[in-house]
Amino acid sequence: MKFIKIKTMIPGPKSRKLMAERKKNVSNGIPASTPIFIKSGNGALIHDVDGNTFIDFSGGIGATNIGHSNSKVVGVVKNQAEKFFHSCFQVVGYEAYIQLAKKLNRITPGKFAKKTALFNSGAEAVENAVKIARKFTGRGAIISFEEGFHGRTLLALGLTGKVTPYKLGFGPFPSEIYKLHYPDLYRKPHEMDEEQYTDFLLDDLENDFFKAVVDPKNVAALVMELVTGEGGFLIPPKRYVLELKKICKENGILFIADEVQTGFGRTGKIFASEHFGIEPDLICMAKSLSNGLPLSAVTGRKEIMDCVQEGGIGGTFVGNPLSCVSALETIKFIEKRKLWIRAREIGNIVMERFEKLKEDTNVVGDARGLGAMCSLEIVKDKVTREPDKEKTKKIVKKCYENGLVILSAGLFGNCIRTLMPLVIKDEELKGGLSVLEKIVKEEDEKK
Ligand SMILES: Cc1ncc(COP(=O)(O)O)c(C=O)c1O
């Protein structure tokens, strides 16, 4: 393989030593998807401390859409670091924050007047969007999805579905959060086609959920990922999303799009909301917004964003200047290269290979994707669709042992997802896919 260079057993001796130190000093609660320690990265390649080179299909969980060590970003961050690191925007302001707010107000869906507030993490953006929605509507309840993921702080966890490992032992969670089932076209009842399933879900919302679970007049906002991230890259039917948006509007419920994982070109548009033709009232962004530096944002309708009393939102580090200049340069790069179009090309290459894998093997139950956000579901049986978490884990492990860093996902932990930097070269992409294909086929033969 041209790009992958494996010189030691994986993990190599230096990584093993660091892992032993990590085990002694870092909380066991922090997960380790791989036992590899990075020395440097460039584009879609990761070089580890033992001199091995991996193709990266994880992008630090989708946070490096324009690639590791992008020279333009490195340049502006270095330049900013030499001037000042921190003044706290709330104390002594700086221009980069304002420029970034202006940019996000312009590029997010919706022609209406918008405003932006910056934060540190995806979870923080979602929590603040909920605070703003509650203040604006004067209502308390929030709707989210069982298959959704919105972060690890307590309110974000309350909005999140998956219990293990995220929520186990951390309750009680904030009240007034009500969950819908996220449309899952693979696991829908066999007898229903997509249209019938969409009708069924919408009917359930109006005639059961709003009657027996929560009164829509008490609901401040609905929080939705347009493609689930940790939930295994479920893609909802367009009509479902459009109807949901309409129902929200009719009932005075704000639509909050969590575009933390889907944003900045990943799905083949700058924002996934654009695929569905919706203009969310509030959009949460993070991850590839600043290509790896901690930063998040909430952008939304001006009157909503302005309803909060001065001092009601903010924080010491929010909109850090290093992150702001990185974000401005990242967005410039994405726009200049039209990286969302590259995401579609990547998606086409990936999906062609994934569809073939689904056809050729018994372990791949489903292959789905929107742009470069593609996923395989690993199952024990194609008819029962029983998830195979253990096999998924094995595939992920064998992948990194063979030079491909890739992540699992899904409520059942049985999805393999692609979050490669969108600057990945065709040969790197195809090389990484060949590793994955070979391993999935080997696992298939072991059935
Ligand atoms: C859709 C979505 N929302 C929120 C979050 C939380 O972001 P963070 O880990 O930056 O708090 C994530 C993280 O994976 C995510 O995928």
Side-chain angles (χ1 to χ4, degrees):
M1 179 67 59
K2 196 169 150 202
F3 298 97
I4 295 172
K5 289 191 182 69
I6 300 297
K7 298 178 178 167
T8 67
M9 69 178 274
I10 302 297
K14 288 183 181 162
S15 277
R16 282 206 300 279
K17 202 166 161 218
L18 282 169
M19 186 54 91
E21 287 291 306
R22 174 187 159 135
K23 282 192 174 140
K24 271 191 228 152
N25 294 290
V26 178
S27 162
N28 287 344
I30 307 278
S33 304
T34 76
I36 302 159
F37 287 80
I38 186 170
K39 184 175 182 193
S40 65
N42 63 295
L45 297 177
I46 286 174
H47 311 288
D48 80 355
V49 288
D50 292 289
N52 302 301
T53 298
F54 302 80
I55 293 174
D56 185 11
F57 275 14
S58 75
I61 324 186
T64 56
N65 281 3
I66 72 163
H68 297 285
S69 309
N70 180 288
S71 61
K72 299 266 186 224
V73 171
V74 171
V76 294
V77 172
K78 266 188 183 166
N79 188 32
Q80 178 60 44
E82 279 167 8
K83 290 181 187 156
F84 66 98
F85 269 46
H86 176 72
S87 63
C88 183
F89 185 72
Q90 294 161 215
V91 179
V92 178
Y94 39 89
E95 190 178 346
Y97 187 120
I98 300 164
Q99 290 300 342
L100 182 57
K102 209 168 154 184
K103 189 81 166 177
L104 294 175
N105 294 341
R106 183 174 68 71
I107 65 169
T108 46
K111 292 269 178 285
F112 41 81
K114 285 178 236 152
K115 281 200 172 181
T116 289
L118 300 178
F119 303 99
N120 297 296
S121 67
E124 219 184 313
V126 174
E127 297 229 354
N128 278 283
V130 168
K131 279 167 64 183
I132 295 166
R134 281 183 169 162
K135 176 82 191 188
F136 183 76
T137 58
R139 302 172 176 185
I142 305 291
I143 298 174
S144 64
F145 290 86
E146 285 165 1
E147 292 75 6
F149 179 86
H150 303 284
R152 285 181 166 89
T153 51
L154 263 179
L155 175 57
L157 269 188
L159 297 166
T160 293
K162 192 171 174 176
V163 175
T164 307
Y166 304 127
K167 300 172 78 163
L168 202 65
F170 297 144
F173 298 102
S175 60
E176 287 295 296
I177 294 170
Y178 301 95
K179 290 197 183 66
L180 286 171
H181 175 60
Y182 198 94
D184 183 342
L185 292 172
Y186 176 55
R187 292 181 184 281
K188 69 176 168 52
H190 276 306
E191 65 279 9
M192 293 184 192
D193 63 19
E194 183 176 324
E195 290 304 313
Q196 289 166 329
Y197 180 56
T198 301
D199 287 338
F200 166 76
L201 292 174
L202 291 167
D203 182 67
D204 189 62
L205 170 64
E206 298 248 48
N207 296 316
D208 183 67
F209 195 78
F210 282 161
K211 300 282 184 281
V213 179
V214 63
D215 182 346
K217 294 284 173 266
N218 289 336
V219 179
L222 174 138
V223 185
M224 184 176 194
E225 295 164 86
L226 277 317
V227 178
T228 63
E230 305 307 299
F233 290 14
L234 300 172
I235 306 161
K238 184 172 178 177
R239 184 164 69 84
Y240 176 81
V241 177
L242 283 170
E243 286 293 322
L244 206 54
K245 179 76 174 63
K246 200 167 124 210
I247 292 166
C248 284
K249 193 164 181 215
E250 284 165 1
N251 289 286
I253 299 169
L254 300 187
F255 191 103
I256 301 175
D258 180 345
E259 294 250 18
V260 166
Q261 195 158 151
T262 50
F264 301 96
R266 168 67 42 196
T267 66
K269 303 244 184 214
I270 299 186
F271 294 100
S273 301
E274 297 169 52
H275 286 287
F276 300 90
I278 59 156
E279 294 173 349
D281 298 299
L282 299 170
I283 301 190
C284 303
M285 296 157 272
K287 292 197 186 277
S288 280
L289 161 63
S290 58
N291 206 48
L293 283 181
L295 184 70
S296 65
V298 179
T299 298
R301 291 179 185 274
K302 178 176 175 295
E303 63 279 15
I304 301 173
M305 293 299 293
D306 274 344
C307 77
V308 182
Q309 65 281 12
E310 190 178 335
I313 56 174
T316 305
F317 288 121
V318 297
N320 173 273
L322 298 172
S323 301
C324 284
V325 296
S326 170
L328 281 165
E329 201 58 35
T330 298
I331 297 169
K332 197 163 142 192
F333 189 94
I334 290 172
E335 287 190 313
K336 198 166 167 204
R337 307 269 176 114
K338 294 194 169 50
L339 264 197
W340 58 92
I341 293 176
R342 176 65 184 148
R344 286 178 218 165
E345 290 166 6
I346 292 170
N348 289 340
I349 294 171
V350 173
M351 283 312 293
E352 202 184 320
R353 308 268 292 252
F354 276 15
E355 288 292 354
K356 184 96 184 32
L357 261 184
K358 183 175 134 187
E359 238 174 75
D360 293 351
T361 65
N362 288 316
V363 286
V364 176
D366 193 32
R368 52 180 176 259
L370 191 63
M373 207 165 170
C374 306
S375 172
L376 290 175
E377 273 218 29
I378 306 299
V379 292
K380 290 185 180 163
D381 184 302
K382 278 196 171 177
V383 177
T384 64
R385 295 172 288 186
E386 190 185 340
D388 199 337
K389 184 176 175 178
E390 286 316 307
K391 190 152 278 183
T392 310
K393 268 191 183 166
K394 226 185 263 174
I395 293 170
V396 166
K397 180 170 186 281
K398 285 179 80 178
C399 277
Y400 68 68
E401 284 170 351
N402 285 278
L404 174 69
V405 178
I406 195 162
L407 296 171
S408 62
L411 198 57
F412 309 107
N414 70 318
C415 298
I416 290 175
R417 55 175 159 167
T418 65
L419 287 169
M420 63 285 282
L422 303 176
V423 293
I424 192 166
K425 297 184 179 110
D426 272 353
E427 304 97 295
E428 294 165 345
L429 177 64
K430 288 175 185 168
L433 286 170
S434 297
V435 172
L436 177 62
E437 245 165 35
K438 183 169 167 280
I439 289 162
V440 170
K441 282 182 181 164
E442 279 169 16
E443 286 304 313
D444 191 52
E445 276 157 21
K446 284 188 190 152
K447 275 200 122 168

